[in-house]
Amino acid sequence: MSLPDRLSVLRHREFRRLLTGRTVSVLGDGLYTVAAMWLVFDLTGSTAYTGLAGFLTQIPGVLSMLVGPIVDRARLGRVLTLSELAQGVVVLVVPLAWLTGSLSVVVVLATMPVLSLVGLFAGPAQTAAVPRLVPDDSLVRANAAATAVGKTVDALARGIGGALIVLVGAVGVYVVDAATFALAALLFFSLDVPDTSRGATGEDDSTQPAGFDRDTYVRDLREGIETLTGSVLGLMLVGSLFANFLFGVAFAVLPSFAADLGGAGTYGLLLAGLTAGTVGGSLLSSWVESVPLGRSTIVGLTASGLLFAVSIWVARPVLSVALFMLSRVPVGIYNVSVMATLQSGVPDDRLGRVSSVLSSASSLVSPGGVLLGGVLGELVGTRTVLLVSAAGTVLTASYWLLVPSLRTFESPTGVEPGSLA
């Protein structure tokens, strides 16, 4: 497939608008993360408080599954617009507290879970919007573009955020962040997303259900869970959750490993390698979109675990960073391929529910992995924890190999629309 063919997904005007709005939104998220964590540490001088800040930011994600039924029955452009506006309003609480002389770490910490809660709608809404804006055979390329742009902008935002703190202070970055949310809201406001492009039967369905009460909400929520657990997607979820847990375990001790190699600079390079490898894998995913997902996952995750293990074993700054980056390439391919499979195989009118259940499950296991990794690092040492994490990645590949329906699963482009209902 030629480069023009790979970029053909950008010919779809509404997808370009969605991608632009997502880019601005991710920029705002990255700026906020840097400013919030720095401000908490600046106000307290305590790493315990920064740990609490990270927990408060992540834990609301457990509730993601509750927003899915709402997203599936709402106009997606409106959901995205209101989510960005709400986040912008919450972010402004900190600058207003500073102006009135009432800024404290309690105020900063209190805004964190609130901001995460109002932002819960954005992810499922964006996931549900993509297959309504591009043809089914372009889903891999669309997700590759969204992932690559998101990861790249997030990495840039963290660097820009650090520079802005020096120029205007952490509170000033909050103001800039609010402006990015407002711009993203403006972009999403003009986004034209069809109510549905494909119903559960695969037929065109441009109407919304007439009523939506508590019983309907509960039924829709149950239907989203059953769609996931009652198909091969549930088996994929088990492997993904295990992989996310292992990444949390490794992430907890990565600063200690970097300190032994060379210090803070090495840690920064490892994080940059993580982002670069994931982005690279996302871009390469369109090259393997016709390869059976079972085959690409088994080979890719095995290679990822082995490369990661070697990067830990050699323990040399430049070589370890390079190998760590390469180990994330198969992960980037896997993420895009599974997302394209999800968007193609799940009926559009259930995508919000299914993707939000996935998000809730990930939010449950990732913090647990971080906590366990930190404890194990103290008990058995950093390198041992990292090597166990690498071995676990190979075990995830073995899980795909041993489960027949995963081992033989077809390519993302071969999944029939609505076939995973």
Side-chain angles (χ1 to χ4, degrees):
M1 185 182 295
S2 65
L3 182 60
D5 289 334
R6 297 180 189 282
L7 297 178
S8 62
V9 69
L10 298 179
R11 296 172 187 166
H12 302 283
R13 185 184 64 178
E14 294 305 317
F15 175 71
R16 291 201 308 270
R17 188 167 294 169
L18 175 69
L19 190 60
T20 303
R22 172 181 167 82
T23 299
V24 176
S25 181
V26 170
L27 175 62
D29 290 340
L31 292 176
Y32 169 78
T33 299
V34 174
M37 297 299 286
W38 180 263
L39 187 56
V40 168
F41 185 76
D42 189 48
L43 290 171
T44 66
S46 169
T47 55
Y49 272 98
T50 57
L52 176 60
F55 175 81
L56 290 174
T57 299
Q58 292 186 30
I59 199 62
V62 175
L63 303 176
S64 292
M65 62 184 294
L66 300 180
V67 310
I70 300 173
V71 169
D72 280 334
R73 290 177 175 264
R75 295 188 181 278
L76 297 182
R78 185 179 302 169
V79 170
L80 291 168
T81 300
L82 293 176
S83 177
E84 298 298 323
L85 286 175
Q87 290 179 83
V89 171
V90 174
V91 161
L92 285 175
V93 169
V94 170
L96 289 174
W98 179 79
L99 284 173
T100 59
S102 56
L103 180 62
S104 68
V105 69
V106 174
V107 173
V108 179
L109 291 175
T111 62
M112 290 180 166
V114 177
L115 187 68
S116 295
L117 283 171
V118 297
L120 287 180
F121 294 85
Q126 290 178 19
T127 298
V130 172
R132 304 187 191 185
L133 301 178
V134 301
D136 288 325
D137 60 4
S138 296
L139 281 175
V140 171
R141 278 162 277 170
N143 283 290
T147 301
V149 170
K151 292 289 186 180
T152 302
V153 172
D154 182 61
L156 291 173
R158 294 172 190 271
I160 294 171
L164 283 176
I165 288 175
V166 176
L167 294 175
V168 299
V171 175
V173 177
Y174 271 77
V175 177
V176 176
D177 190 34
T180 65
F181 284 126
L183 178 57
L186 183 63
L187 290 167
F188 286 137
F189 181 74
S190 59
L191 184 65
D192 183 18
V193 183
D195 288 341
T196 56
S197 61
R198 185 178 65 242
T201 62
E203 299 295 328
D204 229 21
D205 180 10
S206 58
T207 62
Q208 289 285 73
F212 189 56
D213 53 22
R214 185 181 65 178
D215 292 339
T216 303
Y217 172 84
V218 173
R219 186 191 68 225
D220 284 359
L221 180 60
R222 185 183 299 115
E223 188 179 59
I225 296 173
E226 291 173 349
T227 298
L228 181 62
T229 59
S231 70
V232 70
L233 288 174
L235 298 174
M236 291 183 186
L237 174 62
V238 173
S240 295
L241 292 181
F242 185 54
N244 286 339
F245 180 82
L246 291 171
F247 179 73
V249 169
F251 194 75
V253 298
L254 202 58
S256 176
F257 176 69
D260 292 338
L261 283 185
T266 303
Y267 181 57
L269 289 175
L270 285 171
L271 292 180
L274 186 155
T275 300
T278 305
V279 170
S282 301
L283 294 173
L284 290 173
S285 59
S286 59
W287 292 80
V288 296
E289 62 183 5
S290 298
V291 176
L293 182 60
R295 186 187 307 168
S296 65
T297 298
I298 293 167
V299 174
L301 293 185
T302 300
S304 176
L306 293 176
L307 286 167
F308 185 39
V310 175
S311 74
I312 304 305
W313 181 72
V314 298
R316 295 181 180 177
V318 175
L319 186 56
S320 291
V321 168
L323 290 170
F324 184 60
M325 179 181 68
L326 289 175
S327 75
R328 302 304 298 177
V329 172
V331 176
I333 294 174
Y334 171 82
N335 289 341
V336 170
S337 298
V338 169
M339 182 59 68
T341 299
L342 174 76
Q343 290 172 329
S344 181
V346 175
D348 287 352
D349 59 353
R350 300 185 197 177
L351 261 178
R353 281 166 279 175
V354 174
S355 62
S356 61
V357 171
L358 287 170
S359 181
S360 287
S362 297
S363 296
L364 277 173
V365 302
S366 185
V370 173
L371 291 175
L372 179 62
V375 173
L376 290 178
E378 295 291 332
L379 295 177
V380 301
T382 296
R383 292 186 66 182
T384 300
V385 172
L386 291 172
L387 289 173
V388 168
S389 177
T393 302
V394 177
L395 285 177
T396 305
S398 301
Y399 166 75
W400 274 72
L401 179 64
L402 293 173
V403 178
S405 57
L406 295 180
R407 182 177 64 248
T408 60
F409 197 85
E410 59 194 321
S411 68
T413 55
V415 176
E416 291 295 325
S419 61
L420 299 180

